[in-house]
Amino acid sequence: MSVIEVKDLKKSYGKKDIVEALKGISFNVEQNEIFGLIGPDGAGKTTLIRILASLMVADSGSATVIGKDPKVDYQYIRNNIGYMPGRFSLYEDLSVKENLEFFATTFGTTIAKSYDLIKDIYQQIEPFNDRKAGDLSGGMKQKLALCAAMIHYPKVLFLDEPTTGVDPVSRKEFWNIIKGLNKHNITIVVSTPYMDEADLCDKVALMNNGEILGIDTPENVAASFNKKLYAVEVGGSNYHLIKSLRKYEFMDSVFPFGELLHYTDKRATDIKGDLKDFLEKEGYKNIFIQEIKSNTEDVFIRLMNAQKK
Ligand SMILES: Nc1ncnc2c1ncn2[C@@H]1O[C@H](COP(=O)(O)OP(=O)(O)OP(=O)(O)O)[C@@H](O)[C@H]1O
């Protein structure tokens, strides 16, 4: 049996202007997996996590978490899962230690009893034990929130965008922590809008607009891009370059990717020479074209474009 089983889950908001936040989502999460919900703002990640954490009820479909229905056995679910919401939800005017003691008491436990589980993270914030939570840095706040979410030895952890707005170094540290939780037999569902974090998960669901566009290991997702992909650069305005490439009769797709453009062609052959000729005729100089490996973001953009059609 999977730790989480979700089947055709639907949820809408509003009465007049209805927003379909989840349009029939299905997936399973296995024991000890780090399962990533990857998608932009509004994809439905928070709604999904809140339903699974028993904080919201779905309109239809079914879900089980550790074998229980969050709608029915919500007390059991709440006692056995950890939930870290997207926005900092601890008491800003309580100190680090007071916050943790508060959450420990709520679950009938103590910091000492949970120390083995939280120690790797807690040791990083312990020097600030007496500091008010509101005065911690963004990264420290996240670590405190994670400790609080784990204080009762949960079997499943739901982390809703834990790294959003956190600096890159803290983001990396946070992921090291998440990876380290594996040894404690904790199954983790983590949502993120950052595509590069997909590679850190065991399995990912690519979400957009209330739908799952694909579920697989990050390696298989990246490999599912079944076209030759090229990086194109001319050392000038990407805006004009996109406009030129969109005129090219063999253009299949083109989109900005950092400083470069990512381009696919309707032909399966190596088109570097032809494309360079075309761009030269368009008046470009210093043309750089290289075949590259696709990543999760390339696949995501392709799937989103297909979803729009
Ligand atoms: N309480 C609400 N009332 C009306 N619409 C809502 C409500 N909560 C969410 N929505 C809408 O439902 C959709 C899914 O939102 P949700 O918060 O689940 O997505 P998300 O992927 O977590 O994105 P975000 O990072 O923006 O929270 C969005 O269109 C959002 O505007």
Side-chain angles (χ1 to χ4, degrees), residues 200-218:
L200 303 167
C201 302
D202 297 317
K203 208 185 263 176
V204 290
L206 304 181
M207 279 188 83
N208 189 48
N209 225 348
E211 293 178 309
I212 290 182
L213 308 182
I215 302 182
D216 215 324
T217 60

Side-chain angles (χ1 to χ4, degrees), residues 13-14 19-21 39-48 56 160-161:
Y13 295 104
V19 179
E20 285 182 278
D41 283 352
K45 307 181 298 292
T46 299
T47 303
L48 178 57
M56 189 185 270
D160 192 5
E161 298 200 15

Side-chain angles (χ1 to χ4, degrees), residues 1 3 19-20 28 74 93 134 136 145 151 159 169 178 214 255 299:
M1 193 184 67
V3 173
V19 179
E20 285 182 278
N28 287 356
Y74 51 86
D93 52 348
L136 294 173
I151 203 85
L159 309 175
V169 175
I178 294 176
F255 52 88
V299 174

Side-chain angles (χ1 to χ4, degrees), residues 225 227-230 250-255 262-266 302:
F225 195 89
K227 283 223 154 227
K228 279 184 193 291
L229 181 70
Y230 299 90
F250 300 112
M251 187 276 304
D252 173 62
S253 75
V254 57
F255 52 88
H262 280 191
Y263 171 87
T264 59
D265 197 274
K266 287 180 182 146
R302 219 176 163 71

Side-chain angles (χ1 to χ4, degrees), residues 99-112 114 148 151-152:
N99 262 296
L100 284 182
E101 278 170 347
F102 173 80
F103 281 94
T105 311
T106 309
F107 284 104
T109 183
T110 60
I111 298 178
S114 306
I151 203 85
H152 56 300

